Amino acid sequence: MAKDISMDAVKVIEIKKSVFEDNDKDAAALRRQLKARGVYLLNLMSSPGSGKTTTLIQLLNRIKGKLRVAVMEADIDSDVDAVKILEATGVPSIQLHTGGMCHLDAEMTRQGLTGLPEAGLGNLKGAGGCDCPEGGRSDTAGLDLVILENVGNLVCPAEFDTGACRNAMILSVPEGHDKPLKYPLMFTVCDLVIVNKIDVLPYFDFDMDKCAEYVHMRNPKAEIIPICARTGEGVDALADWILKEVETWKAAPEL
Amino acid sequence: MAKDISMDAVKVIEIKKSVFEDNDKDAAALRRQLKARGVYLLNLMSSPGSGKTTTLIQLLNRIKGKLRVAVMEADIDSDVDAVKILEATGVPSIQLHTGGMCHLDAEMTRQGLTGLPEAGLGNLKGAGGCDCPEGGRSDTAGLDLVILENVGNLVCPAEFDTGACRNAMILSVPEGHDKPLKYPLMFTVCDLVIVNKIDVLPYFDFDMDKCAEYVHMRNPKAEIIPICARTGEGVDALADWILKEVETWKAAPEL
């Protein structure tokens, strides 16, 4: 049952614009910091209204007993999503306000992670003064998995490495199967494409084979998982994907 | 009937990044230039997959006998939309490649207008050397209306004045009625919100009254026109809106 959780229960962080010029270097540093602490970070992107939050609720309810997980909800200025996640799953969620920014970079992501008390990550330092020497530190962090729900936008978030271990995106059936043709970089940088709202396939001109063909034009290795977040169809496969990913990441040697 | 038009038939312009620092000033200059030439520019924005191109085809087929109209399709790098528009309506269409840019500003829009041979606008100069002195010139341009289909994105395009006379956006039913809460600036800057895909209302949790309430929270004067671009339902009202807009714009005193 959904608990009655007031808006005040959700921590809101006003993200400041990044001060680091070299985002790629900073993102690589953040990935090393996370690896050293055993935390897997997934960057989830999509258009507005593709069903990111509903998908997350279904996914979190399947994995929360198996992994210690938290969510960071990036939004321009509303707190709706973090409250929804917390109410529906009990999973720790914070809201990142981007102050009008259309994407998150690695330093903005780091600000969010530092603000997640459950992560036990302390005050992660950026590329300018990385607190994670080559070889990593042995702190045991409090979480196995953090999911970052990026700003709803198929353009800008694709251009900035957040420091995540993997990028995933949701393409919903009503948006059409031609989106990899029109937003090439988004599909190039994503390891996983979740095709959501498959329950409405009969009402839309969406060709799943064409979709797969166009996705693989951009990234031949991308996996595609069709789901319906509203009913939960296909979400078990998504949960299996993330469980396996986190296990592999933890078992891999230091970055 | 759709004509068989090859991709080569559509002019493609590679838009260069704007050189003007003060976009607001440059946008105001472009609006004066357009007013002096009797050309109404509509900036149409939306998320990816909301149905901008299908809506345009329906709209153009209703107004092309009444107005001299052309379309500029902004896209990161595909040419699909301009070809579709030309095939389905015969209306002059050019494709603007933004080279990865997530929005258009006034100078980028001017580059597009200058490249529209039908507009007879010649080489419009920017704010740095505006060719339109206060009071305007009396050239008769070749078009009454240019519609700019902006990059599919609810964040960045809202931040940049393109020099258009009016901003409109399409919100499609599958995206949800809460979008004005999450993308406030987009709804604040739009004079018209077109609610598309109303044929699938029975399959989605979309509340039209809530939608209107949230839109008017952002812009109390915004008009809302519900349509189904696939079937054409409601598009007559949209055509009436634009015909009246162009008439009013032409009759108004110089800017």
Side-chain angles (χ1 to χ4, degrees):
Chain A
M1 294 292 291
K3 284 181 259 173
D4 182 26
I5 295 170
S6 85
M7 298 296 257
D8 300 339
V10 168
K11 184 169 177 180
V12 177
I13 298 178
E14 308 291 335
I15 294 291
K16 290 174 192 68
K17 205 171 167 184
S18 175
V19 293
F20 298 119
E21 284 187 10
D22 188 343
N23 183 61
D24 285 347
K25 190 178 160 195
D26 193 31
L30 177 57
R31 242 186 313 277
R32 282 197 302 275
Q33 292 173 320
L34 291 170
K35 173 62 182 154
R37 289 162 171 76
V39 181
Y40 181 101
L41 176 64
L42 181 72
N43 177 28
L44 182 62
M45 300 177 282
S46 84
S47 292
S50 66
K52 280 194 298 299
T53 308
T54 311
T55 301
L56 272 184
I57 288 171
Q58 288 276 5
L59 176 64
L60 293 169
N61 280 330
R62 280 163 176 79
I63 61 174
K64 67 184 179 188
K66 297 169 186 163
L67 294 176
R68 294 163 300 172
V69 54
V71 171
M72 303 194 296
E73 292 281 332
D75 223 330
I76 293 170
D77 83 349
S78 103
D79 305 337
V80 178
D81 291 339
V83 172
K84 258 195 216 166
I85 297 269
L86 186 57
E87 279 184 348
T89 69
V91 165
S93 306
I94 57 169
Q95 190 83 43
L96 310 182
H97 279 179
T98 65
M101 288 284 286
C102 50
H103 66 276
L104 292 180
D105 62 16
E107 170 55 20
M108 294 156 88
T109 304
R110 184 182 281 108
Q111 289 174 38
L113 288 166
T114 299
L116 256 182
E118 296 82 359
L121 292 168
N123 189 22
L124 291 166
K125 292 191 191 77
C130 176
D131 69 351
C132 177
E134 215 60 50
R137 281 167 53 164
S138 60
D139 301 14
T140 302
L143 292 170
D144 303 303
L145 169 65
V146 177
I147 302 178
L148 169 63
E149 186 181 319
N150 213 314
V151 179
N153 181 337
L154 289 192
V155 187
C156 321
E159 293 169 18
F160 294 86
D161 188 341
T162 58
C165 311
R166 290 283 183 273
N167 293 318
M169 67 88 63
I170 302 179
L171 172 66
S172 66
V173 164
E175 293 170 61
H177 58 253
D178 63 342
K179 290 299 154 291
L181 299 180
K182 306 185 72 176
Y183 301 90
L185 187 60
M186 173 57 70
F187 291 86
T188 303
V189 302
C190 279
D191 307 286
L192 172 68
V193 174
I194 302 161
V195 178
N196 190 22
K197 306 190 188 178
I198 57 171
D199 57 326
V200 297
L201 274 167
Y203 314 114
F204 290 90
D205 175 28
F206 186 99
D207 185 324
M208 194 67 82
D209 293 335
K210 281 267 173 219
C211 176
E213 181 191 330
Y214 296 156
V215 166
H216 291 138
M217 270 171 61
R218 299 305 177 199
N219 179 359
K221 291 184 179 170
E223 290 193 54
I224 299 175
I225 302 180
I227 69 164
C228 172
R230 201 174 56 80
T231 64
E233 186 183 351
V235 184
D236 285 344
L238 179 58
D240 289 344
W241 184 89
I242 192 79
L243 290 170
K244 195 176 159 199
E245 273 288 316
V246 174
E247 194 187 326
T248 309
W249 168 257
K250 284 187 173 255
E254 293 296 329
L255 291 180
Chain B
M1 293 294 289
K3 283 181 260 174
D4 181 26
I5 295 169
S6 84
M7 298 295 259
D8 299 340
V10 166
K11 184 170 177 180
V12 177
I13 299 178
E14 308 290 335
I15 294 290
K16 289 175 193 69
K17 205 172 166 182
S18 175
V19 292
F20 297 120
E21 284 187 10
D22 188 343
N23 183 61
D24 285 347
K25 189 177 161 196
D26 192 32
L30 178 56
R31 243 186 313 275
R32 283 196 303 276
Q33 291 172 321
L34 291 170
K35 172 64 181 154
R37 287 161 173 77
V39 181
Y40 181 101
L41 175 64
L42 180 71
N43 176 29
L44 182 62
M45 299 176 282
S46 84
S47 292
S50 66
K52 282 194 295 300
T53 308
T54 312
T55 301
L56 272 183
I57 289 171
Q58 287 277 3
L59 176 65
L60 293 168
N61 280 330
R62 281 165 175 79
I63 62 175
K64 67 186 179 186
K66 297 170 185 163
L67 293 175
R68 295 163 300 174
V69 57
V71 171
M72 303 194 295
E73 292 280 332
D75 224 328
I76 293 172
D77 83 349
S78 103
D79 305 338
V80 178
D81 291 339
V83 172
K84 259 196 217 165
I85 295 266
L86 185 58
E87 278 184 350
T89 68
V91 165
S93 306
I94 57 168
Q95 190 83 41
L96 311 183
H97 279 179
T98 64
M101 287 286 287
C102 51
H103 66 275
L104 293 179
D105 63 15
E107 171 55 21
M108 293 157 88
T109 304
R110 183 183 282 109
Q111 288 174 40
L113 288 164
T114 299
L116 256 181
E118 297 81 1
L121 291 168
N123 189 19
L124 290 165
K125 291 192 191 77
C130 176
D131 71 350
C132 177
E134 214 60 50
R137 283 167 50 165
S138 59
D139 300 15
T140 303
L143 292 171
D144 303 303
L145 169 65
V146 178
I147 302 179
L148 169 64
E149 187 182 317
N150 213 314
V151 180
N153 180 338
L154 290 192
V155 186
C156 321
E159 294 169 19
F160 293 86
D161 188 342
T162 57
C165 311
R166 289 281 183 274
N167 294 318
M169 67 90 63
I170 302 180
L171 172 66
S172 66
V173 164
E175 295 170 60
H177 58 253
D178 62 343
K179 289 298 153 290
L181 300 180
K182 305 186 71 177
Y183 301 90
L185 186 62
M186 174 57 70
F187 290 86
T188 303
V189 303
C190 279
D191 306 287
L192 172 68
V193 174
I194 302 162
V195 178
N196 190 23
K197 307 190 187 178
I198 56 171
D199 57 328
V200 296
L201 274 169
Y203 313 112
F204 289 91
D205 174 30
F206 186 98
D207 184 326
M208 194 67 83
D209 292 335
K210 280 268 172 214
C211 175
E213 181 190 329
Y214 296 156
V215 166
H216 292 138
M217 267 172 60
R218 299 304 176 199
N219 180 357
K221 291 183 178 170
E223 289 194 55
I224 298 174
I225 302 180
I227 69 164
C228 171
R230 201 175 55 81
T231 63
E233 185 183 352
V235 184
D236 285 344
L238 178 58
D240 289 345
W241 183 89
I242 192 78
L243 290 169
K244 195 175 159 200
E245 272 288 314
V246 174
E247 193 187 327
T248 309
W249 168 258
K250 284 185 173 259
E254 293 296 330
L255 291 181

